[in-house]
Amino acid sequence: AKADGKNTARLYDPAMHAAVTARRQLEVDLSNAVLFKQFEVFYQPQIDLEAGTVSGFEALARWRHSGRGMISPTEFIPMCEENGLIEELGAQILEVACKDAMAWPACVTVSVNLSPVQFKSGNLPTIVKDVLEKIGFPGSRLELEITESAIFDRSSGIISQLSEIRKLGIRVSLDDFGTGYSSLSHIRSFPFDRIKIDQSFVRELGADAESLAIVRAVVGLCENLGIQSTAEGVETHKQLDVLQHEQCRSVQGYLFSEPVTMSETMKIISEFNTDPPK
Ligand code: C2E
Ligand code: CA
Ligand code: CA
Ligand code: CA
C-alpha cells in the first residue's frame, strides 16, 4: 500500500475533486431548475429610431441560483445543450415570453433566442406552433433569433424547419452577424427577415474605420435585400450618432436600457410609445 502511495496522491487532487463536485452539483441544480420551471425572462427594448418608439423586446433567460446568485445564460445555456435540457428550457422560455408579450400593445414584438440544438429533433416547428396555439399569441408578433454557427450545421435540416416556422408568420433574424463563418452564403440560402449586427462591430464605432465600413456595408446590404437591420450593444451617444448617420433604423443597447423585468417593460413602453404632449 505504501508503494503506490505516491501514485494515489497524484490521482487524488483535492482542487480538481472540488471542481468536479461543484460542477456535478450545478448540473443537478440546473436539471431541477428546468423541472420546476425556475428560470426568469428579462427583456431588452429594441428601439425604432425613425419612429422613436419601442418596436419590440428581446427575451433573455436568467437563472437565479440559490447559492451562487445570478448565473449568466452564456454559462447555463451551453450546459443545457450538453445535458439534453435545452429543448425543454427553450420551450419554457418561448412560452413565458409569448405570455408576457400578450400584455404589450399589439405593435410590440418579442424576439426569442434559439439554440442550434433545438433543431436536432426536427420538432421545433411543431413545438413553436403548439406554444402559440396554447397561448393564443399571433405568430406575426414573434421573432426568433438564430446565430450563424447554427446554420453552419447543415445536417440538422435547419433551413427546412426555419421555412416551416416562417409559414406561421413568425420572423427569423440572423443573430451576431459577422462573427460566424461565410456569413454571406447564409443570407443566400435562407430568407432572413432581419440581420443583427454583432456588438463587436458597434463597440468600435467612432474609434475604428474598419468597423464603420462593415456596419455601413451591412446596413446597405439589408436595404438592398429589403430586410431589417438591428445594431446591438449600443452604449454611447457617439455610437448612436454614427448609426443614425448610416441610416440604421433599429438599435438595442445599454444606452437605452439594460434587459429588465416584465413589470419594467410596461414603464418603458409608456415612456417611449405615448405621443409627446402637444
Ligand atoms: P445575444 O443573443 O447576442 O444577446 C445579447 C447580449 O448582450 C445579452 O447578454 C444582453 O444582455 C447583452 N447586451 C445588451 N446590450 C448590451 C450593451 O449595450 N453592451 C453590452 N456589453 N452587452 C449588451 P445576456 O443576456 O447575458 O445573453 C448572452 C447570450 O446568451 C445571448 O447573446 C444569447 O446568445 C444567449 N441567450 C440568452 N438568453 C437565451 C435564451 O433564452 N435561449 C438561448 N438559446 N440563448 C440565450
Ligand atoms: Ca440574440
Ligand atoms: Ca446578438
Ligand atoms: Ca451573442
Side-chain angles (χ1 to χ4, degrees), residues 58 113 145 175 196 232:
E58 177 174 1
N113 290 284
E145 302 193 359
D175 203 358
K196 298 191 78 172
E232 289 194 288

Side-chain angles (χ1 to χ4, degrees), residues 98-244:
C98 291
K99 266 190 194 150
D100 282 347
M102 292 282 274
W104 302 335
C107 58
V108 178
T109 60
V110 66
S111 305
V112 177
N113 290 284
L114 291 183
S115 156
V117 182
Q118 288 176 266
F119 290 89
K120 283 264 155 70
S121 71
N123 292 332
L124 191 62
T126 312
I127 292 168
V128 172
K129 192 164 177 274
D130 288 350
V131 168
L132 292 184
E133 274 169 12
K134 181 176 168 192
I135 296 168
F137 190 69
S140 58
R141 290 183 61 193
L142 176 63
E143 206 163 290
L144 295 174
E145 302 193 359
I146 174 171
T147 56
E148 292 182 87
S149 55
I151 317 160
F152 199 57
D153 178 14
R154 283 173 196 281
S155 53
S156 44
I158 287 184
I159 305 260
S160 67
Q161 290 182 68
L162 283 178
S163 304
E164 284 300 305
I165 284 169
R166 239 168 141 254
K167 283 185 199 145
L168 302 169
I170 297 163
R171 276 165 299 197
V172 180
S173 306
L174 183 52
D175 203 358
D176 298 352
F177 185 75
T179 60
Y181 297 97
S182 59
S183 310
L184 294 172
S185 70
H186 291 148
I187 302 172
R188 197 179 50 179
S189 53
F190 186 77
F192 289 99
D193 300 285
R194 179 190 303 278
I195 283 174
K196 298 191 78 172
I197 304 170
D198 191 67
Q199 48 193 48
S200 59
F201 303 110
V202 175
R203 193 178 307 133
E204 302 301 325
L205 282 181
D208 168 51
E210 284 75 22
S211 291
L212 173 60
I214 289 165
V215 168
R216 181 175 292 163
V218 177
V219 171
L221 177 70
C222 289
E223 221 173 83
N224 286 317
L225 290 170
I227 67 175
Q228 313 273 322
S229 58
T230 296
E232 289 194 288
V234 182
E235 293 182 354
T236 68
H237 286 282
K238 172 87 194 170
Q239 292 162 351
L240 180 63
D241 285 347
V242 176
L243 288 164
Q244 272 179 311

Side-chain angles (χ1 to χ4, degrees), residues 13-14 30 33 53 63 66 71 75 129 149 169 180 186 188 208-209 234 237 249 253 258 270-271:
D13 176 342
L30 185 61
T53 56
W63 180 25
S66 54
I71 298 181
E75 187 173 354
K129 192 164 177 274
S149 55
H186 291 148
R188 197 179 50 179
D208 168 51
V234 182
H237 286 282
R249 251 195 92 158
E258 292 187 358
S270 59
E271 273 166 32

